DNA sequence: ATGGCTATGTATAAATA
DNA sequence: TTATTTATACATAGCCA
C-alpha cells in the first residue's frame, strides 16, 4: 500500500520497523474505531510492543469492561458443554464440571493414541482446568473467611454472656455483704473478684 | 474505499450494516495480523457484535495470556505511583522475593534486546513465578487456618469460663437455700436455672 | 520519534450472482 | 446468507524536513 508492495514478514531494519509500527498502529486503531461506529459493536485492540510499551483502543470507556465481557463469554461457553447432565439439585452440582474435567484430563493422559490431540485442544483443556482451579480457590477462601466471621460472632456473644454472669455474681456478693452481715467468702474459694476476672479475659 | 465515500456513523440499514460488519471485521483482523508480523509485536483484537457474538484475533496462542499481560501492566503502573512512600520495614518483608521476581519479569519484558531471551530462560522464569504464587497461596491458607484454630481455642476457653461462672451461681444459690432457710429467689430474678442456661448455649 | 508528501497497493461499497 | 466483481476511497512505503 505504498510506493511498493511489502512482503508480510518481520521488517529487519530497525528504524523502518519502528516507523511502520507507528503508522500501521494508528491505522489499525482508526479502523477499529470506524468498525465500532459504523456497525454499532464493541471493539477493543491491545498492542504490546517488544519493549513493553502498551497501546490500546476500546470503543467502551473501560477496557477492563471489555475484558470482563470476554471472560464471561468464555465462562458461558464452558458452561454450555457442561449443561447436558446438570440436573442434580445438590450442593455438589457446581463441582460436576470439575469432575468432568478431571476425567477428561485422565483420559487424555492415558489414551494410547496421543497423536490425535491437537495443540488447540490442549490449550482449551488447560484453560478449562485453570478456570475450575480458580473457582475452587475462590470458593475455598470464601468458606474460610465465612468461618472466621462466624467464629468472631460466637466470640462476641460468649464474651457478653460472660460479662453478664460476672455482673450477676458481683451483684449476689454485694447483696449478701450488704443485706446480711454473713461471711460467705468460703462458698466460692477459687473465684477471683470481678476486676481480676475481667483482666484475665483480656487476651481473648 | 468503495464506489463512494461513507460517513463514519452508524449504518441504519440493517443488512448493509451486517455486510459491512463482516467485511470490515475481517479487514481489521488482517491488519492486526500484518502489524504483529511486520513489527514483531503482540496484538489482540476483541469484537463483540450487538447480538452477543464474539470474534477475536490474537497474535499469541492464548488471548487470556494477552489479557493477563494487560492486567499485569495495569497493576505495575499502579504500583509505580504507590512506591513513593513505601519505606516500611514491616510485615511486607516476606514478599521481597516476589517483588524481585516481578521486577525480573518486567525487566525482561521491557528489555530492548528481547532476542537473547531463550525459551529455556522463559520456562525457568515461569517456574519461579509459579513457585512464588504457590507459596503465597500456601501462606494465605495457612494464616486463615491458623486464625480459625485460634478462634476455636478462644471459643473453648470462653465456654469453659462460662460453665464455671454458671456453676458458681448454682453453688451460691444452693448454699443459700440449704444453709439458711431464706427466700433469696428475688435476688437474681432474670437468671434461668443451670439446666436451662446450658441449653441456651448449645447453638454456639 | 513525529508530520507532510506522492505513488501505489489495498480495502471495501455497491451491484450482482 | 456469502462470494465475486469493479470502481473508488484509503492507507501507507519511501522519502524529506
Amino acid at each position: 500500500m505504498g510506493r511498493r508492495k511489502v512482503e508480510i514478514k518481520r521488517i529487519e531494519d530497525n528504524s523502518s520497523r519502528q516507523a511502520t509500527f507507528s503508522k500501521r498502529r494508528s491505522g489499525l486503531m482508526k479502523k477499529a474505531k470506524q468498525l465500532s461506529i459504523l456497525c454499532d459493536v464493541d471493539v477493543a485492540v491491545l498492542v504490546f510492543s517488544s519493549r513493553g510499551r502498551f497501546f490500546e483502543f476500546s470503543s467502551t470507556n473501560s477496557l477492563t469492561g471489555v475484558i470482563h465481557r470476554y471472560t464471561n463469554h468464555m465462562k458461558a461457553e464452558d458452561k454450555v458443554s457442561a449443561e447436558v447432565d446438570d440436573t442434580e439439585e445438590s450442593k455438589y452440582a457446581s463441582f460436576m464440571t470439575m469432575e468432568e474435567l478431571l476425567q477428561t484430563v485422565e483420559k487424555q493422559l492415558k489414551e494410547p493414541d496421543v497423536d490425535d490431540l491437537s495443540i488447540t485442544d490442549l490449550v482449551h483443556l488447560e484453560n478449562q482446568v485453570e478456570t475450575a482451579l480458580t473457582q475452587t480457590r475462590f470458593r475455598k477462601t470464601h468458606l474460610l473467611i465465612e468461618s472466621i466471621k462466624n467464629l468472631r460472632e460466637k466470640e462476641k456473644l460468649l464474651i457478653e454472656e460472660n460479662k453478664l454472669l460476672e455482673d450477676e455474681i458481683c451483684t449476689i456478693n454485694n447483696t449478701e455483704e450488704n443485706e446480711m452481715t454473713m461471711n460467705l467468702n468460703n462458698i466460692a474459694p477459687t473465684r477471683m473478684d470481678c476486676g481480676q476476672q475481667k483482666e484475665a479475659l483480656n487476651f481473648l
Side-chain angles (χ1 to χ4, degrees), chain A:
Chain A
M1 349 182 187
R3 297 293 180 93
R4 67 164 221 251
K5 176 166 180 168
V6 290
E7 231 188 317
I8 302 302
K9 69 174 192 183
R10 183 191 147 97
I11 298 170
E12 294 301 338
D13 176 57
N14 221 297
S15 72
S16 75
R17 187 174 67 249
Q18 185 54 41
T20 296
F21 179 55
S22 177
K23 287 185 177 180
R24 277 180 175 261
R25 176 162 44 77
S26 66
L28 185 68
M29 299 304 189
K30 186 176 177 181
K31 289 275 186 191
K33 185 173 185 176
Q34 291 181 348
L35 177 64
S36 75
I37 293 174
L38 287 170
C39 305
D40 196 21
V41 295
D42 273 353
V43 180
V45 177
L46 317 184
V47 179
F48 298 89
S49 84
S50 45
R51 289 169 202 158
R53 284 213 295 155
F54 172 61
F55 307 87
E56 64 172 302
F57 164 78
S58 175
S59 56
T60 62
N61 293 335
S62 77
L63 228 185
T64 57
V66 175
I67 287 174
H68 285 159
R69 280 180 70 179
Y70 168 77
T71 49
N72 287 337
H73 187 90
M74 290 298 109
K75 268 190 219 157
E77 265 194 355
D78 286 352
K79 272 183 187 166
V80 168
S81 59
E83 252 166 13
V84 186
D85 56 357
D86 220 353
T87 47
E88 227 179 316
E89 31 60 41
S90 80
K91 56 189 169 181
Y92 297 106
S94 59
F95 291 109
M96 285 309 291
T97 307
M98 186 121 111
E99 203 57 61
E100 276 182 345
L101 274 180
L102 289 175
Q103 280 171 13
T104 309
V105 173
E106 267 192 60
K107 189 182 155 196
Q108 299 226 2
L109 285 176
K110 286 178 183 169
E111 206 74 302
D113 46 312
V114 191
D115 290 345
D116 69 354
L117 293 178
S118 77
I119 289 181
T120 310
D121 288 339
L122 289 174
V123 167
H124 187 62
L125 185 60
E126 179 187 1
N127 288 339
Q128 282 184 291
V129 173
E130 209 133 47
T131 301
L133 182 58
T134 300
Q135 286 173 344
T136 303
R137 286 204 183 103
F138 181 79
R139 191 170 161 73
K140 182 190 84 175
T141 300
H142 179 75
L143 288 177
L144 285 170
I145 288 176
E146 278 305 303
S147 183
I148 287 178
K149 274 188 196 162
N150 283 336
L151 283 168
R152 290 242 164 89
E153 202 57 41
K154 281 189 194 175
E155 185 189 11
K156 217 167 161 185
L157 288 174
L158 280 168
I159 287 176
E160 273 181 41
E161 188 60 41
N162 234 313
K163 203 177 263 177
L164 281 178
L165 289 170
E166 285 169 37
D167 285 351
E168 184 176 353
I169 290 176
C170 284
T171 306
I172 291 176
N173 285 342
N174 289 340
T175 307
E176 284 164 351
E177 281 175 30
N178 294 342
E179 290 193 10
M180 346 157 238
T181 335
M182 285 176 69
N183 181 9
L184 294 171
N185 286 341
N186 55 348
I187 286 176
T190 60
R191 299 297 307 147
M192 299 173 268
D193 81 335
C194 295
Q196 282 174 332
Q197 181 63 21
K198 243 175 201 162
E199 208 172 31
L201 281 172
N202 273 348
F203 76 96
L204 288 177

